Amino acid sequence: MSAVRIGVITFPGTLDDVDAARAVRRAGAEPVALWHSDRDLQGVDAVVVPGGFSYGDYLRAGAIASLAPIMSEVVSGAAGGLPVLGICNGFQILCEAGLLPGALARNAGLHFVCRDQRLRVENAGTAWTSAFTEGEEIVVPVKNAEGRYVADGETLTRLEDEGRVAFRYVGGNPNGAMADIAGITSENGRVVGLMPHPEHAIDTLTGPSEQGLGLFTSLLRTLTGAAV
Amino acid sequence: MARVVVDVMPKPEILDVQGQAVSRALTRIGVAGVADVRQGKHFELEVDDSVDDETLHRIAGDLLANPVIEDWKVTRV
């Protein structure tokens, strides 16, 4: 079949679109640059909303970007099952856009935390985690100041009961996130958001591991039905 | 034209780490007796008469505040 095409959105202030596109390419798919002010997803098979400081984090991290024209296309695409991955600021944007529940608040301790972080894959059944095994631990960088996942008690209970915590921090919670939550998934497992950066961990030359690539190969495996 | 104020505050159950940092800094300037500080946002809007209360609450709840973590209050001044 022809190459899987994965869109990578660039907003004003996005930082990690280049690394996200590199990870997409390394996984064997074709990255497609998507622009915030466009209303066209160019027929991509999936979308990555990368990290950075879209619109300078004005108002709240991700708040302005969630209202960008391209995001209304992403929201309607996701309603039809389009796989979407939000990383860091992308996760904040997906929460602000209502694609994922909860919110990301200022880190407990107020510090910008930048370090290699161990995560446990809690749900290996999503579109972006199927190449992992449940309980597998991976190491990827985390780098943010507003990464503390918060949600009301009812939402937290629902996420836990439905197995929608995709990634959990292990070996130390970097930001005070509730229940050590690093990433969550939508009800249908097609939308995933996480604060740590898998796109920075695709080779040992530039990152702490190659394990971040697994999110991108997972997507290919999901879309093509092929074993990796 | 009318002036409208929207105050946005972190919900009581949300840990306000910025407020805590301000509170701790108060001791450094020699102030005692402040039990707690919570930090929010204050918006001032100039709106014409066609903007009704329902629209103002939409502005506050859909954009100025994130209802997951923040409460808001709309006041016409």
Side-chain angles (χ1 to χ4, degrees):
Chain A
M1 65 179 280
S2 57
V4 170
R5 299 170 69 248
I6 303 179
V8 179
I9 301 177
T10 301
F11 299 95
T14 295
L15 300 177
D16 299 324
D17 45 348
V18 174
D19 269 21
R22 177 171 171 265
V24 164
R25 199 175 297 114
R26 188 69 59 89
E30 177 192 340
V32 177
L34 300 177
W35 188 239
H36 65 99
S37 60
D38 288 345
R39 291 191 178 276
D40 181 8
L41 292 180
Q42 300 183 37
V44 293
D45 302 301
V47 170
V48 176
V49 187
F53 295 88
S54 57
Y55 300 90
D57 275 355
Y58 288 179
L59 189 60
R60 292 178 304 277
I64 308 290
S66 73
L67 302 172
I70 195 76
M71 282 309 298
S72 52
E73 301 304 312
V74 171
V75 170
S76 55
L82 180 76
V84 181
L85 175 66
I87 303 168
C88 193
N89 189 219
F91 184 17
Q92 296 162 339
I93 293 168
L94 297 187
C95 287
E96 284 282 347
L99 283 180
L100 292 171
L104 284 311
R106 187 67 73 95
N107 290 350
L110 290 171
H111 290 286
F112 188 101
V113 176
C114 182
R115 71 184 195 201
D116 296 336
Q117 176 69 46
R118 206 143 47 87
L119 305 176
R120 188 170 58 238
V121 180
E122 298 280 37
N123 181 341
T126 81
W128 299 92
T129 57
S130 60
F132 298 108
T133 54
E134 194 179 311
E136 186 175 347
E137 292 191 359
I138 64 175
V139 176
V140 302
V142 64
K143 47 159 197 171
N144 63 66
E146 304 202 12
R148 175 167 55 104
Y149 183 77
V150 294
D152 60 43
E154 190 185 322
T155 303
L156 278 180
T157 303
R158 202 174 69 238
L159 289 174
E160 297 284 1
D161 289 352
E162 295 174 358
R164 288 171 54 193
V165 176
F167 297 96
R168 220 183 290 269
Y169 300 114
V170 288
N173 180 332
N175 49 36
M178 287 178 165
D180 297 332
I181 290 173
I184 58 173
T185 184
S186 59
E187 265 181 273
N188 64 3
R190 307 288 277 187
V191 180
V192 169
L194 77 167
M195 287 311 298
H197 288 265
E199 83 284 17
H200 294 333
I202 65 166
D203 62 43
T204 52
L205 178 67
T206 58
S209 75
E210 301 177 348
Q211 294 166 316
L213 192 61
L215 280 87
F216 302 90
T217 53
S218 290
L219 192 268
L220 292 190
R221 179 186 171 129
T222 299
L223 291 182
T224 62
V228 173
Chain B
M1 296 293 282
R3 172 163 290 194
V4 173
V5 167
V6 179
D7 287 303
V8 176
M9 291 297 293
K11 284 180 188 275
E13 66 270 26
I14 296 290
L15 176 69
D16 177 13
V17 289
Q18 295 185 93
Q20 285 184 341
V22 172
S23 182
R24 282 195 296 273
L26 284 175
T27 62
R28 290 184 207 146
I29 61 166
V31 175
V34 179
D36 189 30
V37 177
R38 294 185 70 77
Q39 179 181 324
K41 298 188 185 105
H42 173 94
F43 299 86
E44 295 180 351
L45 287 66
E46 299 290 335
V47 302
D48 66 35
D49 297 339
S50 68
V51 180
D52 59 14
D53 287 355
E54 190 188 337
T55 306
L56 290 174
H57 281 279
R58 209 185 123 225
I59 291 169
D62 287 359
L63 181 60
L64 302 185
N66 179 342
V68 176
I69 51 174
E70 294 167 325
D71 293 326
W72 70 88
K73 192 175 77 179
V74 176
T75 313
R76 287 184 182 269
V77 293

